[in-house]
Amino acid sequence: VRVRNAGRMEVAAQLRTLEKTKSVANLRNRRVSSIDELEYRVFPIYAYPYTWMTKQELAVELPRTSKNFVDLRQNKADEIGSLRVEVIQCIGLPKMDKYSLTDAFCYIVCGSEVFVTDVIPDNLNPAWLPLTRRACIMPLKNAYSQFYVGVFDYDGEKEDDDFIGRVVIDTPQLQSGFSYD
């Protein structure tokens, strides 16, 4: 869900939730800027290397359109259209791990096509900024397609990820040319 009004937006965006946990790892991910504003380390690091942002900067960056859409279309004759999907933010996720906060990521599924977002570590209000892996173009193969967005807690390569929740959207209820929040 895209929040366009920066004044109403909970900008916990890529920051680790420091108010609730005081671990050494979390303290390393915040600092005070030269103008006495609290700055937060932006994740994932590959997309924003050496980047620190204030809450105000995150509020401006978060609703911008994604820079890269992963195109899952194959231009086959059975495709009747496409759907552009961006995962922006989750608010109020439950704590899924014993010793850390939620390491959230999303699966987007439509028919046989699957897209996976980046993992945002240690955050109950994760957000995916425009340079992260958060956007895709899904092919639609029939007029009654549904697409699913599932949220999971990443537990590492050798563990099963924890299911948090999902949203199901009926594409027949969407109109061409519109943006939905």
Side-chain angles (χ1 to χ4, degrees):
V1 175
R2 178 179 292 215
V3 180
R4 294 183 185 206
N5 182 347
R8 291 183 327 166
M9 183 170 39
E10 253 189 69
V11 186
Q14 311 288 65
L15 14 147
R16 297 191 182 211
T17 309
L18 300 169
E19 295 78 24
K20 298 197 191 270
T21 61
K22 299 294 181 190
S23 71
V24 173
N26 282 340
L27 292 176
R28 285 185 296 210
N29 291 310
R30 70 175 182 173
R31 69 181 185 189
V32 177
S33 71
S34 59
I35 56 172
D36 290 332
E37 284 191 69
L38 195 57
E39 292 182 325
Y40 300 91
R41 180 75 182 93
V42 179
F43 291 94
I45 292 172
Y46 84 87
Y48 291 89
Y50 311 109
T51 303
W52 295 77
M53 291 185 181
T54 64
K55 285 187 178 185
Q56 293 78 16
E57 291 169 332
L58 287 165
V60 169
E61 185 72 10
L62 187 61
R64 291 188 178 160
T65 301
S66 293
K67 302 296 182 204
N68 301 311
F69 279 80
V70 175
D71 194 346
L72 301 173
R73 297 174 294 179
Q74 299 171 356
N75 295 321
K76 292 186 178 177
D78 61 345
E79 293 177 9
I80 62 169
S82 62
L83 186 67
R84 293 170 61 99
V85 181
E86 288 184 83
V87 176
I88 306 295
Q89 185 173 27
C90 298
I91 297 174
L93 296 180
K95 184 176 187 253
M96 299 299 289
D97 297 324
K98 187 173 183 178
Y99 298 109
S100 66
L101 299 177
T102 299
D103 302 324
F105 71 98
C106 297
Y107 275 109
I108 300 171
V109 179
C110 185
S112 62
E113 303 299 328
V114 178
F115 174 77
V116 182
T117 66
D118 282 327
V119 174
I120 304 299
D122 268 347
N123 199 322
L124 299 178
N125 299 302
W128 290 263
L129 293 174
L131 295 180
T132 64
R133 183 178 166 89
R134 75 173 191 182
C136 67
I137 302 173
M138 288 283 195
L140 295 177
K141 296 186 179 179
N142 69 58
Y144 300 101
S145 297
Q146 291 182 320
F147 75 94
Y148 302 82
V149 180
V151 182
F152 293 82
D153 174 46
Y154 181 73
D155 287 331
E157 295 294 327
K158 297 183 181 182
E159 299 287 328
D160 289 337
D161 300 323
D162 301 320
F163 174 75
I164 299 172
R166 74 172 182 182
V167 173
V168 180
I169 298 173
D170 293 321
T171 57
Q173 296 183 8
L174 304 177
Q175 292 183 355
S176 180
F178 283 82
S179 292
Y180 293 91
D181 295 340

